[in-house]
Amino acid sequence: MMAGASTDLAGLAERLRAHPSIRSKLGIGQAVAGLGLSAGAPGRPGDDAAALANGAGWDLLAGEGFIPGFVEENPWFAGWCGVMVNLSDIAAMGGRATAILDQIWAPSAAAARPLMDGLRDAAAAYGVPLVGGHTNFGAPALGLAVSVLGKAERLITSFDARPGDLLIAAIDPRGAYVNFDNFCAALEAPPERLRGDLAILPDLAAAGLVRAGKDISQGGIIGTALMLAECSGVGIEIDLAALTPPRGIAPERWLRSFPSFGFLLSVAPEAANAVCARFAARGIDAAAIGRVLPGSAVTLTDGEDRALFWDHAATPYLDLGVPHA
C-alpha cells in the first residue's frame, strides 16, 4: 500500500464512527438501563427479537417505532417498512413470522389511509396476517409502531459468534436507494420471492449452519458488525477488498447502508460455502467479508493496511453488560 493509504483508511473509519445512523444506536444502552434490563434479562436485549422458550422451541417478539418525519414524508412506504423490517428481525433469529400488530396515530382516518395501505400491502406480499393493534384518529400527527410475533425451532442469536468464524454478508443487490441510506430491494420483487428469501434463515438455523448473526439495520454493515461483536464479546475484522456494493455505490456508503434484505452471519469456515450457496441460488449476494477474532476491536483492513473503527471494551456501543471473551 502507498504511504497515504493508512490515512485514507483511518479517515474512513473516523467518518463512519461519527455518522448519525451509526451513533443513533448509542441510545439502546440508555434505554435498556432505564428499564432495568441487561443482556442477561429474559429475551436477551441486544438480539434482533426477544426469544422466549416455549417447551418445543421459541416464541419470538419484535417491534419497531418510526421517526415521525419518515412517516410524514412517505406514509405508504413507512407502513410497508413497518412490516418488512420486523419480518427481517424474526428471520435473523432463525424464525418464521406468524402475526403482525400495528399501532397507528393520525389526525383522521383519511390521513391514516396511506399508512394503513402500506401495512396491508406488505402483509399480503409477505404472507403474514395483520391481526389488528391500536389506532387513534385524534392525534396531532402521524405516528407508527409495528410488532411481529414469530416462532423458531432453533435460534440464530447475536451472542454466539466465535473467534475463527468467517463473517458472511448476505444482501439482495436488486434494488435502489429510496431515501437517506435505505436500500430497498423489496418493492418490485414478487411475493413468492420475498417469502422464499426470508425462509433461507430458518432453514439455515435448522441445518445448524450458522453460529450467530444479525440483520443489517440502521448503521449498516459496519454498525451491525459492531453490535454483533459486542454481544458476542469478540472482535471483528472487515476486509474492504471483499465488499461487493452494487454498481455505482461507493464502499463507504455501502458500509453504512440499511438494505431491505441484508444479514451478517458468523459461520464456521467449513460451513461457509454451503451457507453462501443457499443465498446464491436465490440471486442474493453472499460472501465472506471478514473474520471473527479474539478481543474487542472492530477493524477495517485493505491489504496490509488496518484502521480501528471501534473498540467496544474501551467504549461500549450497546452497553448491555456483556462480558468480554
Side-chain angles (χ1 to χ4, degrees):
M1 300 292 289
M2 296 179 63
S6 178
T7 301
D8 293 339
L9 197 60
L12 170 62
E14 175 58 32
R15 290 191 299 276
L16 290 169
R17 191 162 50 245
H19 197 274
S21 66
I22 291 167
R23 300 197 70 81
S24 68
K25 297 291 186 180
L26 289 167
I28 292 175
Q30 297 171 1
V32 169
L35 294 170
L37 303 176
S38 70
R44 300 195 81 176
D47 256 333
D48 290 300
L52 303 174
N54 60 21
W58 303 85
D59 291 320
L60 302 175
L61 302 92
E64 296 280 348
F66 291 82
I67 297 170
F70 174 67
V71 180
E72 290 281 354
E73 180 180 317
N74 191 336
W76 182 90
F77 185 57
W80 177 283
C81 287
V83 172
M84 179 179 70
V85 299
N86 273 296
L87 298 187
S88 182
D89 283 338
I90 296 293
M93 297 290 295
R96 302 177 194 273
T98 56
I100 303 163
L101 293 163
D102 64 76
Q103 298 90 48
I104 295 171
W105 296 263
S108 66
R113 178 51 53 192
L115 190 60
M116 300 175 85
D117 287 346
L119 285 163
R120 183 196 62 207
D121 292 347
Y126 283 99
V128 181
L130 184 61
V131 298
H134 171 82
T135 305
N136 183 322
F137 290 148
L142 285 175
L144 174 67
V146 180
S147 303
V148 172
L149 309 179
K151 290 186 178 296
E153 297 176 3
R154 187 169 181 175
L155 290 180
I156 299 171
T157 84
S158 303
F159 295 90
D160 296 326
R162 299 181 190 172
D165 286 353
L166 295 179
L167 183 72
I168 291 175
I171 304 175
D172 190 342
R174 296 165 291 191
Y177 286 106
V178 177
N179 52 15
F180 309 109
D181 288 324
N182 298 311
F183 184 87
C184 188
L187 297 182
E188 303 300 324
E192 59 272 17
R193 193 175 94 196
L194 295 174
R195 301 173 191 183
D197 289 352
L198 283 182
I200 298 173
L201 280 302
D203 288 346
L204 288 172
L209 291 172
V210 174
R211 190 107 68 194
K214 294 189 75 66
D215 85 316
I216 300 172
S217 63
Q218 285 289 355
I221 291 170
I222 189 67
T224 302
L226 174 55
M227 289 188 284
L228 178 61
E230 185 170 348
C231 286
S232 290
V234 296
I236 286 179
E237 175 184 272
I238 294 176
D239 180 4
L240 294 185
L243 289 179
T244 55
R247 186 182 299 274
I249 298 175
E252 180 171 345
R253 189 179 192 191
W254 195 235
L255 281 167
R256 66 172 192 259
S257 291
F258 185 175
S260 62
F261 185 100
F263 299 87
L264 286 185
L265 305 174
S266 183
V267 176
E270 61 271 19
N273 287 341
V275 170
C276 290
R278 299 275 185 115
F279 290 103
R282 298 193 59 85
I284 297 166
D285 287 349
I289 63 164
R291 301 182 296 154
V292 179
L293 302 171
S296 55
V298 176
T299 58
L300 298 172
T301 69
D302 190 359
E304 296 180 359
D305 192 26
R306 302 173 60 84
L308 175 66
F309 166 67
W310 203 294
D311 184 331
H312 59 75
T315 307
Y317 187 53
L318 299 179
D319 201 13
L320 302 176
V322 179
H324 301 287

